[in-house]
Amino acid sequence: MFTRNKSKRIPLQRYWTTRYLLTLIVGLIAIALVSALWIRHTTLQHRLKMMELMAEEIANRIVLFNDGSLGLQGEIGGIMRGPGMALEGDPSFYIADARGTILYSNRPLGPAERRLHPLILKSDEEVQKLELGSTGSFYVVKKKAEVDSYVLGWVVFAAPEENLVKVNQEYGQLLIMITGLLLLGWAAIYFLSKRLSKPIKEVAKAARQVQEGNYDIELRDDAREEEIHDLIHSFKEMSKQLQQLEKLRNELLAGVTHELKTPVTSISGLLQAIADGVVTGDEAKEFLRISLKETAKMKKMVEDLLAFNSFVANAVPIQKEIRSLNELVEEIVRQWELVQEEDTVEVRVFPLKEDVRVDTDPIRLQQIFTNLLNNAKQAMDDGGKIDIRLAADDRRVTVDVIDTGSGIPEEEQPFIFEKFFRGESKKYKVGGLGLGLPFSRLIAQALGGDLELVESSKEGTTFRITLPKV
């Protein structure tokens, strides 16, 4: 026995919330890493630029005195504390002569540190990155102090890389922003998934009601989401259809029972009267004639059921032949008119101006016409007209059967091709099992075409037969 594994089922809201949250976390982590790298890079570039500007400003203030010594106009501290010139970690600062001897430094120097590193002087680059053993990476910025292309000396700034990329405040702000986006995203998906899952839960609850046989469901269809609205609307329509079909099923049982029981009761009573000698002579013959008529009626019902089931199972052969459409329709109408006991209906055929040929089964097509013409006649109690109009295009031909009867009620139109369906107007006036139109449509589809209701109102009804063109 098949059983559902409920342990693997999780609510829709939790499913989407957890997966969206996981996706959001992964995405925000990726954004945070990229942003941190970008902040690190831009901060480094900005601080190196500041060091260049300060080195250039100091280099421009170096002067050569008459005794050959170097001097500086103004105070270095004023430059270091100027607007926008503050640097993280207080970088090392040196002023050296043209040969690299350090004349000034903002840090104490040992005996071995009185000259600039050879790598600094050999390079033509103004900004260098040096790996100095265990001390790690350093960035060095140097500027020439020169007069008339004569190099007086050098201005050098040096700082560890870790000091130049230190941005604790920016990282903190980034963390706050990422956390805020995470919380906002989680809240958004939580409420959105809750809004989405609520109507789906209601539909699932309604489905269980329908499963239990309760078709009286209430669903709000004011959802703004198009798909949710379509789901609710389609489910409500399905529920109405199922309710109608359930009603039809119950009516079918009662109808078939009644339709078959009536002739059986009549036959039984008539034959019992003959057997008991209640009637004799001509009256007994009349009773036998009525019994045979009722037997034929019951036989016709059983044959309709068998024929319908055979067509549903594709067990009835179709024998097609190529025929002229105008001639075939006129022949079918003429045969139908010959068997009518009352001449209260006028049938008019409007043939094609240029006849076409169709590949069809004439006997099966006649069955469709006979059913449509009989239905049209029954819809016109006091007589009327039936127009049969033929049309053709490049691929198919259509035959419209138009009557001037009372029409089919709008609420019954969606069900007329359902098997065993009988409209209110036919239930008590016309016998039958409600297989005429479903049977006719099956035949039309077996012939490669279709049968459809075009329109119906109090002024009349139009059915259309479609057939493939040769």
Side-chain angles (χ1 to χ4, degrees):
M1 182 178 178
F2 177 76
T3 57
R4 292 181 300 176
N5 188 355
K6 293 185 178 180
S7 61
K8 294 184 179 180
R9 304 288 188 268
I10 60 176
L12 180 65
Q13 183 178 1
R14 189 197 309 167
Y15 179 89
W16 284 112
T17 301
T18 53
R19 277 152 182 78
Y20 176 82
L21 189 60
L22 180 61
T23 304
L24 186 63
I25 291 173
V26 172
L28 289 177
I29 289 175
I31 292 173
L33 291 175
V34 173
S35 300
L37 292 175
W38 180 79
I39 291 172
R40 175 188 175 94
H41 173 74
T42 55
T43 301
L44 176 62
Q45 297 301 315
H46 172 72
R47 289 175 175 171
L48 289 175
K49 189 66 176 177
M50 290 297 101
M51 289 168 65
E52 286 187 75
L53 292 176
M54 286 190 292
E56 185 174 3
E57 178 68 20
I58 295 172
N60 291 333
R61 295 191 180 191
I62 293 178
V63 294
L64 180 65
F65 295 122
N66 294 331
D67 59 358
S69 62
L70 297 180
L72 186 67
Q73 295 178 338
E75 295 183 0
I76 296 177
I79 300 174
M80 303 290 283
R81 293 189 297 270
M85 296 298 184
L87 289 173
E88 185 77 22
D90 190 18
S92 299
F93 164 63
Y94 307 97
I95 298 177
D97 60 18
R99 290 172 298 184
T101 302
I102 298 175
L103 304 177
Y104 173 82
S105 174
N106 64 340
R107 298 184 185 280
L109 299 175
E113 298 175 331
R114 292 297 178 179
R115 292 183 58 84
L116 293 177
H117 197 282
L119 293 177
I120 299 175
L121 295 177
K122 288 180 181 180
S123 175
D124 294 331
E125 297 179 357
E126 293 185 343
V127 179
Q128 298 172 255
K129 182 178 180 181
L130 302 178
E131 301 289 343
L132 301 178
S134 61
T135 56
S137 299
F138 273 77
Y139 276 91
V140 175
V141 175
K142 67 178 181 179
K143 287 289 184 179
K144 292 179 183 179
E146 56 185 355
V147 176
D148 297 331
S149 300
Y150 176 75
V151 178
L152 301 178
W154 303 90
V155 177
V156 178
F157 278 88
E161 182 180 14
E162 61 179 355
N163 287 352
L164 293 176
V165 297
K166 188 181 296 183
V167 283
N168 293 334
Q169 182 178 0
E170 286 79 356
Y171 287 155
Q173 293 173 348
L174 177 63
L175 178 61
I176 293 173
M177 182 183 69
I178 293 297
T179 304
L181 289 175
L182 179 63
L183 294 175
L184 181 62
W186 175 81
I189 192 61
Y190 177 82
F191 288 107
L192 287 176
S193 60
K194 184 177 181 180
R195 175 183 174 85
L196 178 65
S197 63
K198 183 178 179 181
I200 296 178
K201 288 180 180 179
E202 293 176 353
V203 171
K205 182 180 178 181
R208 287 191 292 270
Q209 283 185 243
V210 173
Q211 184 181 11
E212 295 169 359
N214 180 11
Y215 301 101
D216 188 17
I217 62 173
E218 293 184 3
L219 287 174
R220 296 176 58 187
D221 56 357
D222 57 349
R224 295 183 180 179
E225 298 83 358
E226 182 179 355
E227 292 79 5
I228 297 297
H229 177 269
D230 290 344
L231 172 65
I232 295 174
H233 180 73
S234 299
F235 188 88
K236 292 175 72 173
E237 290 299 316
M238 182 197 70
S239 178
K240 291 179 181 178
Q241 294 275 357
L242 289 174
Q243 189 174 17
Q244 183 67 28
L245 290 175
E246 180 67 17
K247 180 181 177 183
L248 290 177
R249 187 178 70 86
N250 294 331
E251 291 180 355
L252 167 66
L253 293 175
V256 171
T257 302
H258 172 75
E259 292 293 337
L260 293 178
K261 181 180 179 181
T262 300
V264 170
T265 303
S266 300
I267 293 170
S268 177
L270 293 170
L271 294 179
Q272 188 66 45
I274 296 173
D276 293 342
V278 177
V279 293
T280 58
D282 292 340
E283 191 174 9
K285 292 180 179 179
E286 178 66 17
F287 273 36
L288 286 173
R289 187 187 68 80
I290 295 173
S291 297
L292 290 172
K293 184 177 180 180
E294 291 296 321
T295 302
K297 179 180 178 182
M298 187 166 58
K299 179 182 177 183
K300 177 66 169 56
M301 293 182 188
V302 174
E303 287 176 347
D304 286 347
L305 280 171
L306 293 174
F308 183 84
N309 289 331
S310 297
F311 257 95
V312 170
N314 295 321
V316 176
I318 298 294
Q319 298 179 352
K320 291 185 177 182
E321 58 184 77
I322 298 177
R323 294 286 300 271
S324 162
L325 181 62
N326 285 345
E327 292 179 2
L328 181 57
V329 172
E330 289 174 352
E331 178 184 332
I332 291 173
V333 171
R334 187 163 52 251
Q335 291 180 6
W336 181 81
E337 290 178 323
L338 290 175
V339 298
Q340 302 305 307
E341 297 179 357
E342 300 176 359
D343 189 15
T344 59
V345 175
E346 178 186 357
V347 182
R348 299 183 299 178
V349 178
F350 297 85
L352 294 170
K353 294 181 179 180
E354 296 182 6
D355 197 8
V356 298
R357 299 170 72 79
V358 292
D359 188 12
T360 189
D361 187 330
I363 295 177
R364 298 301 181 188
L365 185 61
Q366 184 177 11
Q367 287 180 280
I368 300 175
F369 271 95
T370 299
N371 183 63
L372 294 179
L373 292 172
N374 286 338
N375 286 350
K377 182 178 179 180
Q378 292 165 4
M380 298 181 290
D381 296 332
D382 300 327
K385 294 180 180 180
I386 301 176
D387 289 344
I388 300 178
R389 298 183 180 273
L390 282 62
D393 57 24
D394 295 337
R395 297 185 298 107
R396 63 176 189 169
V397 296
T398 59
V399 182
D400 289 350
V401 180
I402 309 167
D403 65 58
T404 57
S406 56
I408 303 171
E410 185 176 355
E411 64 274 10
E412 294 181 2
Q413 292 179 17
F415 307 101
I416 59 172
F417 290 108
E418 296 288 345
K419 55 186 178 182
F420 306 115
F421 175 78
R422 299 175 65 203
E424 293 294 330
S425 60
K426 284 189 174 184
K427 284 182 181 178
Y428 308 107
K429 292 170 56 178
V430 182
L433 297 177
L435 292 175
L437 286 176
F439 190 30
S440 297
R441 170 174 270 186
L442 283 177
I443 295 175
Q445 292 173 346
L447 295 175
D450 201 0
L451 173 64
E452 60 181 329
L453 174 66
V454 178
E455 61 178 349
S456 184
S457 63
K458 293 182 179 179
E459 285 72 36
T461 300
T462 301
F463 281 94
R464 176 169 294 165
I465 305 170
T466 304
L467 296 172
K469 192 177 179 182
V470 175

